Each structure stands twice: as C-alpha cells, then as structure tokens.
C-alpha cells in the first residue's frame, strides 16, 4: 500500500448538515439514556416545566399554576432525584417560589436525608434553601447534625451548611449541642435539655473532664489548622476554648501553628477573642508574625466590628513599640481619613491617643481587655503609660 503524503492529503471538510445530524443523534442518544433510568421521564418533564417556572418575569397567577403542576409531578419522588445537578436546581426553584405548604412538603419528604444532602455537591444548596424558607424545619435540620459534627466540619461541602446552621439559625442551646461534640464522645451522644451551655459551666461542675475535653479538642482542631480551614465560626469557638483551657505547652504549639492563620478568624466575636489571646500568650516571634500577616488587610481589620479589637489588644500588650509603629501605626496614619469616617476604624487612633476610654472604645472590647489583664501581667513587662507615651511619640 502506497504511503500517504501528509502534505498533500486533506481531510474533507465537515458539512453543516453532517455536524447537525451528528449533534442531533448525540442528543437523541442522551435523551434515550435518560428515559431508560427509573425516573428518566420525570426528570425530562420536570426540566421542561422548570424552564418556565424559573423565569423572573412570570406572572404570579401563572407561577401558582405551574408550581402546582410541578409539585404534582415531583410528589413522592423528590428524594430520588434531588442529588443530581439539574434536578437540584429544580427543587431549589420550587423552594424559592412555592407557598409555605409546598415548601413544607418538600422539606418533610427530604427529612431523614439532611446529613446526606449536606455532603452532596448539589444537595447542600437545597438544604440551604430549606433553612432559609422553611423555619418550621430548621430545628430538624440542626438536630440531624447531632453526632456528626466532627466529620461534617472537615467535609468540603457539609462545612458550609454546618456554618450556616451555627452562625445564623441556631439558638444558644443548639450552638452548644453542636460545638460540644468537639469536647468528647459523651457530648455527641448525650444531649441534655437543661444542662450547661458552655465549657466553662461543664468544667465548673465536673473539673475532672478537663483533660478528656482538651484531648478531644486537640484532635479536632489540629487537622483543621494543618489544612488551613479555620474560617468557620464553630471552629473559632473551639479554638477559643482550647486556648483558654489548654496546658501552656500545648497552647504554645497551637499558637505557633496558627500565627499565620489568625488573620482569617477576626470576623467573629469568638475568633477575635481567640486572636487576642494568641497575641497575649504568644512569644515575641509569634506576635511579630501575626502583625506581619495583618499588614496586607490592615484597613479592613480596622473597620471590622470585631477585628479592630484585636489591633487594640496588639497596641495594648506588645512591648516592642518600634515594631508596632512600623507594622501598624505608619499604615494607620496613611489611611487616617478613611478610618475616621468609619465607626470602628476611628477607634484605633482614638485608643492610641485616649487609652481605654469608654467614649472611644467599644464596651465589649474594653471588657475583653479587662478580662485579659491577668494574662497581660504575666506576658508583658512594660507599663501601660510608658507604652502609650512611646506610641504617641511616633
């Protein structure tokens, strides 16, 4: 057989008709494969109806009719189809535009699968919609997570749903029941209605549980720090409790691990408090590493509701005022007009000038500063008046 000259050989151009027929053939095959599935016909019909239902300009009366058609179609099959990408969008639209009865019907049919939904790449968005639009089922969703918190917080998808439950919808008792699972297996199994709602209360009545709680906390917190997944407020609560109650050597290990990550936990009350304790308990090297990590985000931190208090703590406890001036104050002076226009930002320069004046610094921050004075007395050597005099001299 003669060799084909690659330079002279040319492939015949593909005609539009051939391309179209091939595309149509592939589409038909895809539809046939879908129809062969147990709920294939249902999915195809639901997606066609969804294309109409999802339109933002749809008339309200027409939407009611279409929602009834959709619910009649999906009733009894929601759990079967909801984990697929396209059908997840259909169910989300039903939760968005349905009435209270229709929303409750969807949430009830999915009850028992909430944990699986939270782990699903597409199902978690449905669970978010249930939390938003079905207030009667929020308790059921939160309770379904009991016993699974330590695994869910490390899961890429489920951690977002867990954070939504903890930060937005859970009451104080539910928050405790969720975070308490970090402290040991018994807290994951036994949920007391009238029991303690904080680790302080637990250790006040049963101090013998301290070692067990710290070991369990360490085994949970350490992998999260190593992976850098510390942005969730439930993790901030666990970090705060660990830093407060751990032995000094173990506390120091955690601070060394998280000194580059502290900047990621300043947006919550517990996270900011934990960051303040890291500054207080940290070594000189730790403190400098933290302030260097703050530097690219300094204006944002100054203007955050809780973040500004961490900078106030840094100004209040770090003895090396020359480094504080280079790392913080020089940049603060450069953005003074923006900070003075912000209700939180202006508290940084006012603290430098006026100290712990309740007219200038928030009461919450002042209370935390006062509570931290016992630690400050052990870790900072310079007198407060000398420190402030040096800061104002720059």
């Amino acid at each position: 057989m003669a060799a084909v000259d690659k330079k002279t050989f040319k492939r015949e151009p593909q005609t539009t008709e051939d391309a179209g027929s091939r595309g149509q053939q592939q589409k038909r095959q895809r539809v046939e494969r879908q129809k062969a599935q147990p709920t294939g016909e249902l999915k195809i019909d639901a997606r066609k109806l969804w294309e109409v239902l999802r339109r933002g300009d749809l008339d309200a009366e027409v939407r009611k009719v279409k929602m009834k058609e959709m619910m009649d179609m999906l009733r009894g099959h929601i759990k079967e189809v909801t984990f697929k990408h396209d059908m997840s969008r259909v169910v989300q639209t039903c939760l968005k535009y349905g009435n209270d009865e229709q929303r409750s019907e969807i949430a009830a049919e999915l009850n028992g699968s909430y944990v699986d939904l939270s782990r699903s790449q597409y199902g978690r968005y449905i669970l978010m919609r249930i939390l938003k639009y079905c207030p009667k089922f929020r308790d059921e969703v939160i309770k379904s997570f009991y016993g699974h918190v330590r695994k869910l917080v490390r899961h890429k998808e489920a951690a977002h749903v867990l954070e939504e439950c903890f930060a937005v919808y859970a009451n104080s008792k539910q928050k405790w029941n969720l975070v308490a699972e970090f402290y040991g297996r018994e807290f994951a199994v036994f949920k007391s209605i009238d029991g303690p709602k904080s680790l302080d209360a637990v250790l006040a009545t049963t101090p013998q549980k301290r070692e067990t709680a710290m070991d369990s906390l360490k085994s949970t917190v350490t992998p999260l720090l190593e992976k850098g997944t510390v942005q969730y407020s439930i993790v901030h609560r666990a970090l705060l409790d660990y830093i407060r109650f751990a032995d000094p050597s173990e506390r120091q290990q955690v601070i060394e691990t998280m000194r580059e990550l502290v900047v990621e936990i300043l947006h919550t009350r517990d996270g900011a408090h934990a960051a303040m304790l890291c500054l207080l308990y940290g070594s000189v090297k730790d403190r400098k590493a933290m302030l260097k990590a703050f530097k690219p985000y300094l204006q944002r931190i100054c203007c955050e509701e809780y973040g500004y208090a961490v900078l106030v703590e840094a100004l209040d406890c770090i003895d090396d005022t020359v480094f504080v001036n280079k790392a913080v104050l020089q940049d603060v002076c450069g953005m003074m007009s923006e900070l003075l226009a912000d209700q939180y930002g202006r508290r940084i320069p006012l603290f430098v000038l006026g100290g712990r004046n309740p007219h200038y610094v928030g009461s919450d921050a002042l209370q935390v500063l006062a509570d931290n004075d016992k630690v400050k007395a052990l870790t900072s050597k310079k007198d407060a008046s000398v420190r402030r005099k040096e800061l104002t001299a720059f």
Side-chain angles (χ1 to χ4, degrees):
M1 180 176 178
V4 178
D5 187 355
K6 294 183 179 180
K7 294 183 179 179
T8 59
F9 177 77
K10 293 183 178 180
R11 186 187 300 271
E12 292 186 6
Q14 188 179 46
T15 64
T16 306
E17 183 178 351
D18 292 337
S21 61
R22 185 177 291 109
Q24 291 172 1
Q25 184 180 3
Q26 291 175 346
K27 185 176 180 180
R28 285 195 298 269
Q29 291 174 348
R30 186 166 61 250
V31 171
E32 288 173 3
R33 286 196 301 269
Q34 290 176 345
K35 288 183 177 180
Q37 297 173 2
T39 56
E41 293 282 356
L42 170 64
K43 292 178 182 178
I44 293 171
D45 294 340
R47 284 199 298 270
K48 289 179 180 177
L49 184 56
W50 172 70
E51 290 292 345
V52 178
L53 187 60
R54 73 189 185 112
R55 287 170 48 191
D57 60 347
L58 193 64
D59 182 76
E61 293 301 320
V62 176
R63 194 185 301 281
K64 287 182 182 179
V65 175
K66 296 299 181 182
M67 266 303 306
K68 186 177 184 305
E69 292 179 23
M70 182 68 82
M71 291 303 299
D72 291 340
M73 188 184 304
L74 295 178
R75 188 171 288 112
H77 301 284
I78 295 175
K79 192 178 292 188
E80 300 173 44
V81 302
T82 196
F83 289 91
K84 300 296 182 181
H85 172 255
D86 48 357
M87 290 304 294
S88 171
R89 288 180 175 272
V90 172
V91 179
Q92 289 177 59
T93 302
C94 290
L95 286 166
K96 181 178 180 180
Y97 292 119
N99 56 38
D100 290 342
E101 183 180 350
Q102 291 166 336
R103 290 168 174 171
S104 296
E105 185 177 350
I106 294 172
E109 192 165 333
L110 291 173
N111 198 356
S113 302
Y114 293 152
V115 174
D116 293 331
L117 278 173
S118 71
R119 293 189 177 118
S120 169
Q121 182 179 359
Y122 308 115
R124 74 178 177 98
Y125 295 105
I126 294 175
L127 204 53
M128 293 283 206
R129 292 291 176 99
I130 290 175
L131 287 168
K132 182 177 180 179
Y133 295 116
C134 307
K136 294 180 180 179
F137 285 84
R138 286 172 188 163
D139 287 349
E140 293 298 323
V141 174
I142 293 171
K143 288 178 182 177
S144 71
F145 289 162
Y146 291 170
H148 305 281
V149 175
R150 295 183 67 176
K151 290 183 178 179
L152 294 180
V153 77
R154 293 195 292 265
H155 193 280
K156 179 181 177 181
E157 309 296 342
H160 295 284
V161 185
L162 182 63
E163 171 66 10
E164 189 80 1
C165 289
F166 184 84
V168 180
Y169 299 109
N171 57 38
S172 60
K173 185 60 184 177
Q174 290 169 332
K175 285 184 177 182
W176 164 247
N177 284 333
L178 290 170
V179 77
E181 296 187 21
F182 292 154
Y183 307 135
R185 185 173 299 177
E186 68 173 281
F187 294 103
V189 177
F190 303 105
K191 303 292 184 184
S192 174
I193 298 176
D194 300 319
K197 296 182 182 180
S198 68
L199 186 59
D200 301 71
V202 171
L203 298 183
T205 55
T206 53
Q208 66 273 17
K209 292 183 179 180
R210 180 177 176 275
E211 185 177 353
T212 302
M214 291 301 101
D215 289 342
S216 181
L217 256 180
K218 184 178 181 180
S219 66
T220 302
V221 166
T222 303
L224 295 174
L225 291 175
E226 291 173 350
K227 291 175 63 178
T229 53
V230 295
Q231 67 269 37
Y232 306 116
S233 57
I234 190 172
V235 178
H236 301 174
R237 174 71 65 83
L239 282 170
L240 175 59
D241 284 341
Y242 187 78
I243 293 169
R244 289 175 63 215
F245 294 105
D247 292 332
S249 60
E250 294 181 342
R251 180 197 298 127
Q252 186 58 36
Q253 290 177 8
V254 168
I255 292 174
E256 289 177 2
T257 304
M258 67 179 293
R259 61 191 179 193
E260 305 290 342
L261 300 171
V262 166
V263 70
E264 298 184 25
I265 68 173
L266 307 182
H267 57 280
T268 66
R269 186 189 301 273
D270 292 331
H273 193 176
M276 294 166 80
L277 290 177
C278 286
L279 283 168
L280 284 165
Y281 285 116
S283 64
V284 173
K285 185 177 180 180
D286 295 330
R287 292 174 174 180
K288 288 185 176 180
M290 290 180 215
L291 290 189
K292 287 179 180 178
F294 293 168
K295 198 172 180 66
Y297 314 99
L298 195 58
Q299 182 175 344
R300 180 177 173 184
I301 295 171
C302 289
C303 299
E304 280 191 341
E305 181 180 0
Y306 305 112
Y308 87 91
V310 180
L311 289 178
V312 168
E313 184 67 77
L315 296 170
D316 194 58
C317 75
I318 297 178
D319 292 336
D320 188 351
T321 54
V322 174
F323 178 75
V324 172
N325 175 56
K326 292 180 180 179
V328 179
L329 292 184
Q330 288 181 359
D331 290 340
V332 166
C333 292
M335 59 183 77
M336 189 64 71
S337 59
E338 292 85 355
L339 297 185
L340 293 178
D342 185 84
Q343 62 171 326
Y344 301 112
R346 66 172 67 103
R347 297 180 184 185
I348 302 300
L350 290 175
F351 175 80
V352 175
L353 297 172
R356 298 188 184 186
N357 191 320
H359 294 290
Y360 302 147
V361 184
S363 57
D364 289 347
L366 288 177
Q367 183 61 51
V368 176
L369 288 173
D371 294 340
N372 291 343
D373 279 342
K374 293 180 180 179
V375 180
K376 179 185 169 184
L378 301 173
T379 59
S380 298
K381 300 177 181 179
K382 188 171 290 187
D383 185 80
S385 60
V386 175
R387 184 186 295 106
R388 189 155 68 88
K389 184 178 180 180
E390 293 177 356
L391 291 175
T392 54
F394 290 114

